Amino acid sequence: MTIQFHDETFRDDYTFHNSPEGIRRFPFPFDADSYMYSVNLEPHAGGKAGSPFEKRFDVDEHYVAEMRDRAITLTEDPLRCQSLPHMELAGWDFLELVMVSKSEDYPELFTLNRDGDRWHWINRPLGIEQRFTFLDATTLPCGPMEYITRQTQGDHALLDQRDGNLWMDAGMVTSQADWSLDFDIGMNFFEWHAPVPKAHEMGVFQRALKFLLNLQQGAPVRRLNWTMTVNPRLDTSPENYHKWGPEKRTVAADNVGAKQYLRVELQTLWRLPRSNAIAFPIRCYLCSLEDIVTVPKWGRRLHRVLRDLPNELAEYKGFAVNRPTIVDYLAAFDDGAPTSPGIFPD
Amino acid sequence: MTSRMLRVSAIEALSPLVSRFRFEDPEGALLPLFSGGAHVVVEMPDAGVLRRNAYSLISDPMDGSGYEIAVRREDGGRGGSKFLHTQVAEGDLMRISAPVNLFSLDLRAKKHVMIAGGIGITPFLAQLKQLARLQMPFELHYAARSRAEAAGLALLPASPQVHVHISEEGNRMDLGAILGSQPLGTHVYTCGPEGLIEAVAETGARFGWPRTALHSEVFMAPPPGAPFEVTLATSGKVVTVGAHQSLLEALEAAQVEVQWMCRGGACGRCETGVKSCHGTIEHHDHWLSDDEHARQTKIMPCVSRFKGETLVLDL
């Protein structure tokens, strides 16, 4: 399998697009016709061939363009990448995890040669070759977490574990669904989840934290989260709300299928060996409504989910203003037929 | 719990009562690295009883060529340590869990002070190696009754940061002196008997240490007690727990699946609901709150026991 990397943009002229294969492998997040929060964690131990769940760190046709977009965001706002001083070891752990996983899972794209602490990394899609000394940050052009996350799709948080809690003490966050690393850095698990409606009362976070504190090395887990984004924009940050917020008002009946995207996060959680920290990659996938409805099951189901979603959730996810337009559009693709269980196309 | 079969590659007596066991992959594969303070659970098939005991790793966390533990023989104990000392030979294969750390260093600390009592030295042996590699300031205090009993001596580096206190030689550990003169930003870690941990907590409070800068790990084996019975709500099955058996072990022996991780009342993984309780749950865990203990609606079967008429578990 050779991946054809797209030359595309996630801002300004928005030339991002999914290939037909890209649409088929989109991680559609709803396994039933309705949605409510749940901890919904499952082992991240492979998945259907070709799906985004198959490899430890999925590399797809958007890889090169996403990394270019990340570099632009970082130039404009360096605080999107922060690591508190005690998190450098976790950064090395994460660098190792990504380099080992990618070189094993995509040997045609990535190569890692190790001779003790002397490492040699080749990233062919991005044209990078680097020799460095593991655990010696002076031998890399930047800190280990920044180095590897400039080459890894998705946002990444590194969570320190202490005092029976998890602390967001490092991260690379440039493709986020309206949250800010600069605001959340140093917060604990309950603090950074404070804005989420309903879930606290349901005890979701207590259960999730307890589960994560016991997360074991070599047994990563995953879950899907979702929201809605107008235009294929990765950087929907609070810092840049003035750039993307007003775009919500550009959605109308005649363009909603093309402009409105379902934004899905494939979140994985990994116990890191030397630091005992947890790595939390949040990988963003975008798919326009007009592409989603090319899969009949998804068109039917997305209509039902968005039509019946509680108002607080539509508000929290930021698309309440366009919900009627979206639901009207999707209604045309819902003939009322039953849908099959699971998230994959029929 | 993920685990793997490892070969016992070396057994070495460190003192009359304590031996070091080294485990390696039978094919020579590298084992997952870990962080100082981590433990593994060792499975011991002992005459029809499957024992599972947690032991701190004492080897270099950055060395995946093998895992090492130090085990003190407790002849009056439940049999796990005696099994290791008498039934295990070099070359044997044993099932060892993946490392789990419930006693990790707080890497924010400006300095790390470690206080060990007796066999409580074990988690610090790995932490020392990690701190040396990270080039972080530390000091270690190791208290033992006698030099002969101080098995850790053979494994400690000769270094000005390592202080040995042998009470038989009149060199008792002075916690006030240790805690009274540390720079701001120091974190203290204590491992050993409950009395030592309490003494460090009290001394720390007296000197105004923040509670979050004091860390501890009690060496917790399931305490023995009078036999008792529990009833399982879903099947109606009655399970009898022997005097030297934990409730978790009795459930496992009865083929009842319960999730577990530390088996020492610390991690919370085996938390089990109580449907009804006519009697008193003897809580021995460090996981449930005092309120939860008093309510008697949850039990940690790895360490807690029961006295009374009936206990019905949500299993």
Side-chain angles (χ1 to χ4, degrees):
Chain A
M1 172 202 68
T2 326
I3 305 171
Q4 296 295 321
F5 296 111
H6 293 185
D7 182 7
E8 60 190 4
T9 58
F10 297 86
R11 58 183 76 214
D12 306 323
D13 57 350
Y14 293 118
T15 60
F16 167 90
H17 60 287
N18 284 304
S19 68
E21 303 74 46
I23 297 169
R24 294 284 297 182
R25 76 190 299 278
F26 180 71
F28 187 75
F30 306 111
D31 62 359
D33 288 355
S34 66
Y35 171 78
M36 192 14 98
Y37 288 121
S38 61
V39 176
N40 70 329
L41 290 163
E42 63 173 8
H44 183 43
K48 205 168 169 163
S51 77
F53 312 108
E54 184 187 7
K55 312 285 198 207
R56 286 169 281 187
F57 293 88
D58 183 43
V59 175
D60 68 7
E61 61 196 17
H62 309 296
Y63 176 49
V64 175
E66 278 188 42
M67 294 300 97
R68 210 183 291 145
D69 191 72
R70 162 157 295 160
I72 298 169
T73 302
L74 283 170
T75 305
E76 293 173 354
D77 183 359
L79 292 179
R80 300 303 188 84
C81 178
Q82 298 189 45
S83 176
L84 298 183
H86 63 282
M87 296 303 283
E88 188 176 292
L89 185 62
W92 285 112
D93 274 334
F94 189 55
L95 174 142
E96 174 189 56
L97 175 66
V98 173
M99 286 188 177
V100 169
S101 302
K102 281 189 165 180
S103 60
E104 289 175 358
D105 293 350
Y106 300 94
E108 69 286 7
L109 302 181
F110 306 96
T111 302
L112 177 65
N113 302 308
R114 287 184 285 182
D115 173 14
D117 286 341
R118 301 162 70 85
W119 291 27
H120 176 208
W121 166 247
I122 303 169
N123 178 335
R124 290 183 195 84
L126 296 182
I128 291 171
E129 180 166 4
Q130 180 81 42
R131 291 171 196 277
F132 63 98
T133 305
F134 189 72
L135 292 182
D136 180 353
T138 63
T139 60
L140 284 177
C142 54
M145 181 198 67
E146 179 176 349
Y147 182 78
I148 198 58
T149 57
R150 279 180 179 269
Q151 304 177 43
T152 308
Q153 285 167 279
D155 286 341
H156 305 277
L158 299 182
L159 315 177
D160 196 23
Q161 179 160 334
R162 53 175 200 269
D163 306 331
N165 212 324
L166 294 170
W167 305 80
M168 191 175 293
D169 286 348
M172 166 69 90
V173 179
T174 65
S175 52
Q176 68 271 50
D178 205 7
W179 67 280
S180 164
L181 176 71
D182 193 36
F183 185 74
D184 284 0
I185 190 127
M187 287 190 185
N188 70 34
F189 192 78
F190 298 113
E191 291 166 344
W192 84 68
H193 282 117
V196 182
K198 280 179 175 280
H200 292 271
E201 295 82 334
M202 295 164 60
V204 167
F205 294 123
Q206 286 286 356
R207 285 202 301 279
L209 176 64
K210 182 181 158 189
F211 181 89
L212 293 177
L213 291 175
N214 284 332
L215 185 68
Q216 279 180 64
Q217 206 188 139
V221 295
R222 67 183 173 220
R223 68 182 288 262
L224 292 175
N225 195 15
W226 66 279
T227 188
M228 306 289 285
T229 299
V230 174
N231 293 324
R233 185 177 182 93
L234 289 176
D235 176 25
T236 50
S237 59
E239 286 88 345
N240 279 330
Y241 187 80
H242 58 288
K243 294 180 186 164
W244 58 271
E247 291 181 359
K248 290 188 206 176
R249 301 287 176 178
T250 64
V251 171
D254 59 352
N255 65 15
V256 62
K259 271 182 110 61
Q260 183 68 59
Y261 282 73
L262 176 59
R263 181 187 193 105
V264 173
E265 292 174 355
L266 170 54
Q267 306 179 343
T268 53
L269 292 134
W270 309 75
R271 173 70 65 194
L272 298 175
R274 300 167 187 79
S275 58
N276 202 39
I278 287 179
F280 181 29
I282 306 161
R283 172 68 180 277
C284 171
Y285 294 85
L286 294 161
C287 194
S288 66
L289 296 188
E290 64 186 15
D291 284 346
I292 284 176
V293 299
T294 61
V295 177
K297 170 179 167 180
W298 291 354
R300 291 184 184 107
R301 181 168 290 168
L302 186 59
H303 170 246
R304 295 167 199 177
V305 168
L306 296 185
R307 180 193 62 198
D308 302 336
L309 194 75
N311 273 328
E312 301 100 299
L313 289 187
E315 285 287 349
Y316 171 66
K317 291 178 184 288
F319 68 98
V321 57
N322 289 321
R323 173 143 80 154
T325 314
I326 294 165
V327 172
D328 283 352
Y329 171 83
L330 291 171
F333 301 93
D334 185 0
D335 56 7
T339 54
S340 61
I343 63 173
F344 294 108
D346 289 324
Chain B
M1 233 12 226
T2 53
S3 61
R4 60 186 79 208
M5 293 303 285
L6 299 180
R7 189 173 300 287
V8 180
S9 61
I11 303 174
E12 180 197 351
L14 300 172
S15 76
L17 286 179
V18 179
S19 288
R20 165 164 63 172
F21 295 79
R22 181 176 171 85
F23 303 96
E24 294 179 9
D25 182 88
E27 264 79 57
L30 290 178
L31 304 176
L33 302 183
F34 57 96
S35 48
H39 69 262
V40 292
V41 173
V42 178
E43 283 193 10
M44 297 167 267
D46 182 8
V49 180
L50 182 60
R51 302 187 190 283
R52 292 186 171 117
N53 283 11
Y55 295 102
S56 295
L57 289 168
I58 63 169
S59 46
D60 184 351
M62 307 253 189
D63 176 7
S65 66
Y67 291 156
E68 294 178 12
I69 60 174
V71 180
R72 184 188 154 91
R73 177 170 167 164
E74 309 277 1
D75 284 341
R78 303 169 336 111
S81 66
K82 195 172 171 187
F83 178 87
L84 278 168
H85 277 262
T86 58
Q87 306 292 311
V88 173
E90 288 177 6
D92 287 357
L93 284 174
M94 299 190 79
R95 183 164 287 285
I96 311 290
S97 78
V100 168
N101 199 341
L102 299 171
F103 188 51
S104 58
L105 295 168
D106 189 325
L107 295 175
R108 297 171 306 164
K110 301 280 183 285
K111 179 179 175 185
H112 303 268
V113 172
M114 294 165 276
I115 300 174
I119 195 66
I121 188 68
T122 52
F124 298 132
L125 294 170
Q127 289 183 342
L128 280 179
K129 296 179 179 99
Q130 183 180 357
L131 289 167
R133 175 75 199 240
L134 298 175
Q135 300 185 319
M136 287 176 158
F138 70 90
E139 65 186 57
L140 176 125
H141 296 269
Y142 174 35
R145 258 191 300 270
S146 69
R147 212 159 270 279
E149 277 185 35
L153 287 178
L155 302 173
L156 284 169
S159 132
Q161 292 105 314
V162 172
H163 307 267
V164 179
H165 308 268
I166 306 289
S167 46
E168 201 182 68
E169 299 172 5
N171 177 22
R172 280 181 65 91
M173 185 156 63
D174 179 352
L175 291 176
I178 296 169
L179 295 183
S181 60
Q182 297 297 339
L184 282 178
T186 301
H187 281 246
V188 174
Y189 310 84
T190 311
C191 183
E194 199 123 17
L196 176 66
I197 289 165
E198 281 163 18
V200 172
E202 278 164 27
T203 312
R206 197 149 43 83
F207 284 105
W209 280 71
R211 259 192 312 173
T212 50
L214 303 176
H215 312 267
S216 63
E217 179 166 74
V218 189
F219 251 69
M220 183 80 175
F228 61 96
E229 283 183 351
V230 296
T231 307
L232 311 184
T234 43
S235 59
K237 203 162 164 180
V238 175
V239 175
T240 304
V241 183
H244 288 277
Q245 200 180 24
S246 71
L247 170 54
L248 177 60
E249 288 165 343
L251 292 169
E252 285 171 338
Q255 316 291 327
V256 181
E257 204 181 314
V258 181
Q259 300 244 320
W260 55 267
M261 209 169 74
C262 78
R263 304 180 81 87
C267 79
R269 190 67 169 269
C270 68
E271 182 181 299
T272 300
V274 170
K275 281 259 176 181
S276 73
C277 171
H278 297 285
T280 309
I281 298 176
E282 299 170 339
H283 294 287
H284 295 293
D285 62 279
H286 297 266
W287 170 256
L288 299 172
S289 65
D290 291 348
D291 278 357
E292 287 173 313
H293 283 164
R295 278 202 290 274
Q296 304 212 109
T297 54
K298 289 174 181 171
I299 185 168
M300 309 306 295
C302 63
V303 289
S304 297
R305 306 183 70 87
F306 172 72
K307 199 175 270 170
E309 282 180 24
T310 54
L311 179 69
V312 183
L313 299 181
D314 202 358
L315 284 173

